Amino acid sequence: MVQTYNLYINGEWVKTDDQLEVLNKYTQEVYAQVSKAGEKEVEQATTAAETAFKENPLPPYERYKILKRVSELLQENKEELAKNITMEAGKPLKQTRTEIDRATQTIELSAEEAKRIHGEGVPVEAAPGSENRMAYTMKVPVGVVGAISPFNFPLNLVAHKIAPAIAAGNTVVLKPASNTPTTALKLAELFEQAGLPRGFFNVVVGSGSTVGQQMMEDERINLYTFTGSADVGLKLKQNTGLNKLILELGNNSPVIVDKEADLDKAASNIAQKSFAFAGQVCISVQRLYVHEDIQNEFQDKLFQAIDQLNIGDPNDPDTDVGPMISEEEAERAEQWIKEAENNGAKIVYGGKREGALLHPTVVANVRNEMKVVCEEIFAPVISIIPFADIKACINEVNKSQYGLQGGIFTKNLETAFYASKHVHVGGLMINDSSQYRVDLMPYGGVKGSGWGKEGPKYAIEDMTEERLIVFNLDQ
């Protein structure tokens, strides 16, 4: 049965004549129909958010209570939400259950942070002539937040935008990815149940070229938080004036396996973290640098670990690797692999495609200019690159236009510290792959991977403004 969903604007469920079909990503059958927003609906949503912010401010403890209740409701509705994400995103069920748990943490952390937002005293009285003055800073919300979220974590990455914004006292207009909009609408239902006032959270569904463009041009939106491609992130930067931005953009994560690494640990970890959700994670392992002294041994262990992954129907609780978000995306990744092959690369593992299901693939004999290396492939594909010297390896790693997260496996403390100082990324994982993330940590990149940090505490820093208050006293 095809489910139907409406937009959520100013506390009302709004139906439109234009409908978006959402596919079951494994069967490619229509799973849901969602109302699409036009210019009128986007205008209504932004007006509702602006009005709520100006006329109905939420005290910090109320924000805490609402967010805490939403985190509880997520767990109460865990199986329904997990199955919904699996259907619309094609993400294996075991991974969607984990996503629910992570989103629960994200929103609970945001609830706690709502009670901790504070300024500090400023000792202006220490300046000559200011002996009778006293000053402090306070944190105030920025206003209306425009949030644009991707398909790969349709709940948790929405939570990372919505929950800190509300914790800080802002209101939100959200445009979820058109491939996976129903999860965001289900989250809106939970916020409604938890008692969030009208206008604080609005969900408008539609393409980036229409809904996203209108949001980008609206001067009432004071901060944009976006996760997606570097091209769209650059467009936002160029067209939103002096408004604040949090940009989580592309990546081609490097992981180094040093000659002094625990090869069993590295192989098992990398097999899991390279191909989870079919490699469609910003911090999935893509460039795998392996010391030439241990390359053959490590490669055998890696292939054995990949052999243990279950590939197929994401609704099967045992599945590790399901379909990509669309057959077109799987075809694109396959084409990149073929281009690399035509230029001398070699598939050493996998390479098979069945519709939207691209099997885990390992490519060797690659060069830096190949798309499988220098671009973000966003697919279950890794490239093995041998190296002899760690300093030269890190120089190669840093030639990338991206710099979100990376990893290194080594038992050598000197090597670990050297990598920590010299790998140019937003986060480096030691004896772990690039895909490690917990939701309380600061998460964000450098270079073409964007700027600003996610993680509730860190996002709230960007989602508030610091205001200085100075008293001129008589005595």
Side-chain angles (χ1 to χ4, degrees):
M1 181 179 175
V2 176
Q3 302 182 46
T4 59
Y5 293 85
N6 296 325
L7 308 175
Y8 188 63
I9 301 172
N10 199 27
E12 303 286 341
W13 295 97
V14 178
K15 183 178 181 179
T16 65
D17 294 332
D18 197 4
Q19 298 289 300
L20 172 73
E21 289 187 341
V22 180
L23 300 183
N24 176 320
K25 300 308 184 293
Y26 185 65
T27 66
Q28 295 298 301
E29 297 172 346
V30 176
Y31 167 63
Q33 288 189 325
V34 181
S35 289
K36 287 177 68 174
E39 183 178 342
K40 180 181 76 172
E41 288 76 29
V42 177
E43 170 66 25
Q44 289 173 342
T46 309
T47 298
E50 182 187 38
T51 301
F53 177 73
K54 290 181 176 178
E55 298 182 1
N56 188 25
L58 266 183
Y61 193 73
E62 288 301 310
R63 303 173 212 160
Y64 160 78
K65 287 199 303 182
I66 291 166
L67 290 165
K68 186 67 169 66
R69 180 59 185 143
V70 173
S71 72
E72 295 165 352
L73 288 169
L74 281 178
Q75 287 299 304
E76 292 172 17
N77 294 273
K78 180 175 178 177
E79 280 304 300
E80 176 194 347
L81 287 163
K83 289 175 181 176
N84 187 76
I85 296 172
T86 294
M87 294 290 276
E88 74 167 356
K91 182 179 288 190
L93 190 58
K94 65 167 68 172
Q95 294 166 25
T96 62
R97 287 170 174 156
T98 300
E99 182 172 350
I100 307 299
D101 291 338
R102 287 186 57 191
T104 301
Q105 281 289 301
T106 300
I107 295 176
E108 184 177 342
L109 287 162
S110 299
E112 293 292 342
E113 290 297 333
K115 298 187 293 183
R116 300 176 183 147
I117 299 170
H118 63 86
E120 61 182 11
V122 180
V124 293
E125 64 274 14
S130 293
E131 292 80 3
N132 289 335
R133 285 179 170 82
M134 181 178 70
Y136 64 92
T137 62
M138 57 191 295
K139 296 291 184 68
V140 297
V142 297
V144 179
V145 171
I148 302 174
S149 61
F151 72 81
N152 57 339
F153 287 87
L155 180 64
N156 195 36
L157 289 187
V158 168
H160 267 287
K161 299 180 183 310
I162 305 309
I166 291 173
N170 299 299
T171 57
V172 183
V173 178
L174 168 71
K175 190 200 89 64
S178 296
N179 278 314
T180 56
T182 67
T183 301
L185 291 164
K186 285 182 174 292
L187 181 62
E189 291 177 2
L190 300 188
F191 270 100
E192 186 178 50
Q193 290 178 35
L196 186 68
R198 294 159 60 99
F200 269 79
F201 182 23
N202 306 272
V203 185
V204 286
V205 176
S207 71
S209 60
T210 55
V211 174
Q213 183 72 25
Q214 187 174 344
M215 289 173 62
M216 183 176 67
E217 294 172 353
D218 198 315
E219 295 181 354
R220 295 172 296 176
I221 294 178
N222 306 99
L223 178 146
Y224 294 87
T225 171
F226 169 78
T227 300
S229 73
D231 288 343
V232 176
L234 179 60
K235 185 178 179 182
L236 271 170
K237 178 182 180 295
Q238 293 171 333
N239 291 277
T240 53
L242 297 176
N243 288 4
K244 299 179 79 174
L245 291 168
I246 302 173
L247 299 176
E248 301 294 341
L249 308 177
N251 194 36
N252 55 358
S253 296
V255 171
I256 300 168
V257 181
D258 184 44
K259 63 182 177 180
E260 297 177 84
D262 181 330
L263 299 189
D264 290 314
K265 177 180 180 179
S268 175
N269 185 294
I270 291 167
Q272 290 289 333
K273 299 301 175 67
S274 301
F275 306 115
F277 192 34
Q280 298 169 121
V281 181
C282 296
I283 46 178
S284 288
V285 182
Q286 181 173 334
R287 295 179 291 150
L288 184 56
Y289 296 84
V290 182
H291 197 283
E292 59 185 22
D293 288 356
I294 51 92
Q295 182 180 356
N296 291 336
E297 182 183 0
F298 172 76
Q299 197 164 289
D300 289 343
K301 291 178 182 293
L302 176 64
F303 294 168
Q304 291 169 17
I306 300 173
D307 285 340
Q308 302 304 309
L309 300 176
N310 296 310
I311 302 160
D313 185 352
N315 295 287
D316 184 337
D318 293 326
T319 294
D320 298 293
V321 182
M324 291 181 63
I325 194 66
S326 68
E327 187 168 354
E328 290 76 15
E329 281 298 296
E331 289 173 346
R332 173 196 57 79
E334 183 182 44
Q335 183 59 38
W336 286 19
I337 296 166
K338 289 179 178 177
E339 285 180 17
E341 275 192 294
N342 292 338
N343 286 282
K346 180 181 178 182
I347 296 175
V348 292
Y349 190 98
K352 179 182 177 183
R353 182 179 68 82
E354 303 168 278
L357 188 65
L358 180 63
H359 287 240
T361 300
V362 182
V363 185
N365 298 342
V366 296
R367 298 194 305 273
N368 282 343
E369 65 270 18
M370 293 176 176
K371 287 181 181 177
V372 294
V373 178
C374 67
E375 300 292 340
E376 180 179 34
I377 194 164
F378 222 58
V381 180
I382 57 176
S383 294
I384 289 187
I385 305 166
F387 73 93
D389 175 75
I390 189 66
K391 293 183 179 180
C393 173
I394 289 173
N395 287 337
E396 287 297 306
V397 165
N398 289 341
K399 288 179 180 178
S400 172
Q401 63 181 311
Y402 299 118
L404 184 49
Q405 288 194 171
I408 182 170
F409 288 86
T410 183
K411 294 180 181 178
N412 187 310
L413 194 59
E414 292 288 337
T415 301
F417 271 104
Y418 183 85
S420 300
K421 290 174 67 176
H422 293 94
V423 178
H424 192 194
V425 290
L428 185 69
M429 310 300 128
I430 311 298
N431 288 322
D432 213 336
S433 78
S434 53
Q435 210 201 79
Y436 175 78
R437 182 184 181 184
V438 291
D439 296 286
L440 55 78
M441 76 188 207
Y443 176 80
V446 296
K447 300 190 287 187
S449 291
W451 66 75
K453 296 290 185 181
E454 287 188 341
K457 174 183 176 181
Y458 306 93
I460 286 170
E461 286 296 312
D462 283 327
M463 291 177 173
T464 54
E465 297 170 345
E466 187 171 61
R467 183 174 298 164
L468 174 68
I469 309 299
V470 181
F471 285 86
N472 186 3
L473 305 171
D474 291 333
Q475 57 183 3

